[in-house]
Amino acid sequence: MEASPNTTTTLHRSRESLERYLAQPKGHHTQVSEEELEGLPQVEGQNRRFHEWISITCRKLELNYPRVTLHTKRFLLLMRGPRPVVDLPEPSPWISALTFRGRPYGLLLENRFARLVRPLNGRLWILLLMGAIYIVGLSLLVHAQSYSSPAKSWISCTSAYWSANDGCGLDGSACAPFTNTSFDFRCPAQCSSVKIQNPRTIGNEQANFVPLVIGGGDANFTYRGDSFLCAAGIQAGFISNSRGGCATVNLIGNFTNFLPRSSHGLTSLGFPTVFPLSFRFSATSSLSHCADLRSEALVVNVLVTVALFLVIRPRPIILFWCMISIGFWHITLFSQPRSFPPDIADGFGTFLPVLFVSYAFWRSAFRFVLPAFAKMPIEATILYLGPYWTTVLANLTTERIPIDRLTAADIVAQPGGLAALIIIVLVLLVIVINQIRVIRKTGWLPYYLGWYALGGLATLVLALLPTLNLRLHHYIIAIILMPGTAFPTRLSAIYQGFLLGLFLNGTGAFGFDSMFQTAAQLRRDGIVGTDLPSFVTNSTNYNSSVPPPEQIIFWSPLPSGKDWDGFALLVDDVERYVGTAFNYSLSALHGGLPHFFRLAFIKEGVAGDFTKAATLWPNGTWIDPVPGPS
């Protein structure tokens, strides 16, 4: 609708009045009259009264609080940036005036390299030929990597014969057989960095944020049955951490006194009493082609991306889709497959949504930055591919950062977790402030602040939903931050490479996990927070003069008003009793060994949290359990 002459005149008067108002020296704003401040046009329709109220309120504030109003307007104008919005200039080569022996370099370096590879630039037939060779070569590499061994021989880095607490049932029957069994297995590479994420009680000790390995310190390298097979094999020297490998595991049943050991970068725990399931390794195996080829695949994929940026130099959008495809499938097939061997059908199930989100990345950010570096292939290669491969390989490059699930319990429990979180937040804050400065120079800051405020408000509302917890996965952080990089600067190029790799790592390795998860999903196999029973037997009333096989230990009855219907007792980390009795005879225990007792309530056969361990030493000393769950 075309504006009327009266409206145009009013807007003009308003602009002139505001300019005169802002131009006055400090201390003179109280002299502005009502007539000079009027200027907002009348609004027709149902919103007229609201706009009139806003107009009158603003005028009163200007009259009554001129300094506050002035500074507020100046701040808002500063944050708004220029009008109309402007584009940032495209970057020029970083070293544009470097001279050596009187000869200029820098800009010429990019130009000379560009002239050198120009015959290969943008040639469709070269790109198609290279793509065909790459796909065939990658297929052969994937087959040699994952499908030369029988699928049933593959195990994961956390595979074990025994489950935590009561997971193997009464007397461990669900984890039988315990002996006279062997198994040829194959481990992937880099299993020594795979750790448990919740405390695991071993006797009277607790392990957390370490590979679970118990024993191995004797001459035959005997390990307890709940040790991670691959980590134990690495420590024993039968498996390579960098190349994976094959071996044979032999179950030998009962074993007493698992000794700790430190070897090949791993330290195991000890366990001084008997356990019904243990195993040893044998280097002889019927399996072949056991070497993990992820390092070779990484070299190939890095060289291909470098060749695309430096030599082939296709159109920016083609280059972008090549980065998406190469990074995603490297993660899915080599560096972090979700199953062994990789499930390619499952990979394609995630790849299609990845392409959809990636197109949003292109439209909102990459198309404004990547083409700006088209004439600087050397610089573009460094700025994009360095951060990109750093986060594509996040399982290696960030494994030492003591943060996994970003939950308060994890951050506090993991050594260095709080300090790492503070450093990450500070670095992110500096990056965000600098990017806000860049966006303000273009005049687009109000637009971005509005959308981010709307998204933050929506997230806050969803985070307050009952039974759900907000969790920021890799890919969600990338989605949130990527639109703010849509400005042609070198830092934006670095951020885009970093965030794209982070997005691919999150989706390729873990899929599109929900950003809202229940407490049980976050807890995994951790403590639930249920009621804890208590032992009546304690260090005061235990009669150490009676031999342990003749002793009976007691605990308190079921609490009234609760819906528990029985007890579960772990003796030496094995479930030995389930029922409603309040005592347990130690007649089946070896008197010359220490023993550990943990108790839990059960409901319909499902156990709650177990207590920490009460310890009975061979000399008859009873040590009461420390308060809290195990």
Side-chain angles (χ1 to χ4, degrees):
M1 180 182 295
E2 186 176 350
S4 67
N6 291 336
T7 303
T8 305
T9 303
T10 306
L11 290 172
H12 183 67
R13 287 178 54 200
S14 176
R15 190 178 299 110
E16 287 183 346
S17 299
L18 180 59
E19 290 174 354
R20 288 200 307 273
Y21 179 72
L22 295 177
Q24 293 184 66
K26 291 183 178 180
H28 293 273
H29 299 291
T30 55
Q31 301 174 8
V32 181
S33 65
E34 283 272 7
E35 184 178 352
E36 289 178 314
L37 289 175
E38 73 176 15
L40 284 176
Q42 298 296 320
V43 179
E44 301 295 338
Q46 59 181 350
N47 293 328
R48 177 177 177 178
R49 290 188 177 183
F50 175 75
H51 281 268
E52 287 179 347
W53 178 81
I54 292 291
S55 175
I56 293 170
T57 303
C58 291
R59 289 170 181 173
K60 287 181 178 180
L61 288 174
E62 287 180 313
L63 286 172
N64 297 326
Y65 305 100
R67 282 187 173 276
V68 174
T69 306
L70 173 66
H71 292 309
T72 301
K73 287 183 176 180
R74 285 179 172 173
F75 175 76
L76 292 177
L77 289 174
L78 177 67
M79 295 299 291
R80 184 193 69 176
R83 284 294 180 272
V85 295
V86 298
D87 294 329
L88 293 178
E90 290 192 356
S92 58
W94 195 301
I95 307 173
S96 59
L98 179 65
T99 59
F100 180 71
R101 293 183 179 180
R103 299 184 61 184
Y105 290 91
L107 180 62
L108 295 179
L109 176 63
E110 292 277 13
N111 285 343
R112 288 174 177 175
F113 182 81
R115 285 198 300 269
L116 179 66
V117 299
R118 186 170 298 164
L120 302 176
N121 292 169
R123 304 292 185 182
L124 181 60
W125 69 269
I126 295 179
L127 184 63
L128 293 176
L129 178 62
M130 179 181 177
I133 295 174
Y134 172 75
I135 292 174
V136 172
L138 188 69
S139 300
L140 295 175
L141 198 59
V142 169
H143 185 271
Q145 155 80 0
S146 303
Y147 300 98
S148 296
S149 302
K152 64 180 182 180
S153 67
W154 277 98
I155 63 173
S156 71
C157 293
T158 58
S159 295
Y161 275 102
W162 193 275
S163 303
N165 295 333
D166 61 339
C168 286
L170 189 63
D171 297 324
S173 58
C175 295
F178 300 154
T179 186
N180 297 326
T181 301
S182 62
F183 172 60
D184 293 337
F185 67 95
R186 180 180 176 183
C187 287
Q190 299 162 1
C191 281
S192 64
S193 60
V194 178
K195 307 170 183 178
I196 53 175
Q197 297 296 328
N198 284 310
R200 187 73 65 87
T201 299
I202 312 298
N204 60 350
E205 297 183 61
Q206 277 200 323
N208 200 8
F209 304 116
V210 294
L212 185 62
V213 184
I214 307 162
D218 61 300
N220 295 315
F221 306 126
T222 308
Y223 293 91
R224 209 175 84 162
D226 51 352
S227 299
F228 291 169
L229 279 170
C230 291
I234 291 171
Q235 190 196 59
F238 292 92
I239 303 293
S240 168
N241 182 57
S242 61
R243 305 287 289 179
C246 300
T248 299
V249 61
N250 303 297
L251 302 185
I252 60 171
N254 277 325
F255 190 80
T256 303
N257 194 16
F258 297 86
L259 300 176
R261 182 180 186 222
S262 292
S263 181
H264 296 91
L266 292 173
T267 299
S268 61
L269 299 171
F271 185 68
T273 189
V274 65
F275 198 79
L277 175 59
S278 59
F279 60 82
R280 295 169 181 160
F281 294 106
S282 172
T284 58
S285 174
S286 62
L287 303 176
S288 59
H289 301 90
C290 296
D292 195 301
L293 303 178
R294 66 182 64 189
S295 297
E296 289 82 348
L298 176 62
V299 171
V300 170
N301 285 324
V302 169
L303 290 178
V304 169
T305 54
V306 169
L308 288 169
F309 267 83
L310 281 179
V311 181
I312 308 300
R313 298 176 63 188
R315 294 172 56 193
I317 191 170
I318 296 176
L319 189 60
F320 171 75
W321 289 119
C322 289
M323 293 174 67
I324 297 294
S325 301
I326 292 173
F328 178 85
W329 288 110
H330 178 80
I331 295 165
T332 301
L333 298 176
F334 296 102
S335 64
Q336 288 179 270
R338 280 177 264 176
S339 61
F340 297 97
D343 187 341
I344 297 179
D346 182 48
F348 272 106
T350 304
F351 186 54
L352 295 180
V354 164
L355 295 179
F356 177 81
V357 178
S358 299
Y359 181 69
F361 286 166
W362 171 260
R363 294 291 302 173
S364 64
F366 271 83
R367 68 188 177 110
F368 302 109
V369 182
L370 187 56
F373 290 89
K375 297 181 180 179
M376 295 176 284
I378 298 175
E379 202 165 321
T381 302
I382 297 171
L383 295 177
Y384 272 99
L385 293 187
Y388 168 79
W389 281 110
T390 297
T391 46
V392 164
L393 303 173
N395 62 313
L396 299 179
T397 56
T398 63
E399 67 171 353
R400 296 188 180 276
I401 299 177
I403 293 178
D404 175 54
R405 290 173 292 189
L406 275 179
T407 61
D410 266 10
I411 293 170
V412 172
Q414 195 161 359
L418 183 59
L421 179 63
I422 292 173
I423 293 172
I424 291 172
V425 170
L426 290 177
V427 171
L428 186 61
L429 182 62
V430 171
I431 290 173
V432 169
I433 291 174
N434 179 71
Q435 204 67 5
I436 288 176
R437 179 188 65 83
V438 172
I439 299 173
R440 191 208 67 81
K441 291 169 60 177
T442 68
W444 283 102
L445 185 58
Y447 174 83
Y448 279 87
L449 289 180
W451 278 109
Y452 273 110
L454 183 62
L457 181 62
T459 302
L460 178 62
V461 171
L462 292 173
L464 295 177
L465 292 175
T467 73
L468 293 179
N469 297 275
L470 175 65
R471 184 182 178 192
L472 295 178
H473 298 280
H474 296 57
Y475 78 93
I476 294 174
I477 295 174
I479 291 174
I480 292 172
L481 298 180
M482 188 68 80
T485 66
F487 302 89
T489 66
R490 288 178 173 81
L491 287 178
S492 290
I494 293 173
Y495 301 153
Q496 287 185 354
F498 185 91
L499 293 174
L500 183 62
L502 195 67
F503 169 75
L504 294 175
N505 180 270
T507 54
F510 308 106
F512 285 92
D513 277 356
S514 172
M515 65 184 297
F516 300 101
Q517 295 182 313
T518 64
Q521 290 171 323
L522 290 175
R523 184 173 59 244
R524 299 174 185 169
D525 63 346
I527 60 174
V528 180
T530 63
D531 299 323
L532 293 174
S534 59
F535 286 97
V536 173
T537 300
N538 56 47
S539 57
T540 303
N541 58 34
Y542 184 83
N543 187 359
S544 59
S545 62
V546 178
E550 300 177 17
Q551 293 276 8
I552 297 176
I553 61 173
F554 298 87
W555 50 83
S556 300
L558 292 170
S560 60
K562 302 289 185 177
D563 54 358
W564 301 108
D565 54 23
F567 301 91
L569 177 68
L570 301 181
V571 181
D572 300 332
D573 299 339
V574 180
E575 188 175 53
R576 295 299 188 185
Y577 174 76
V578 176
T580 58
F582 308 144
N583 57 75
Y584 179 76
S585 172
L586 307 186
S587 58
L589 302 185
H590 193 291
L593 296 173
H595 298 286
F596 310 98
F597 307 91
R598 291 189 284 146
L599 191 65
F601 293 121
I602 61 172
K603 177 185 176 182
E604 298 176 356
V606 178
D609 292 330
F610 284 87
T611 63
K612 285 188 167 61
T615 306
L616 176 61
W617 294 104
N619 61 4
T621 301
W622 176 277
I623 305 297
D624 296 326
V626 177
S630 62

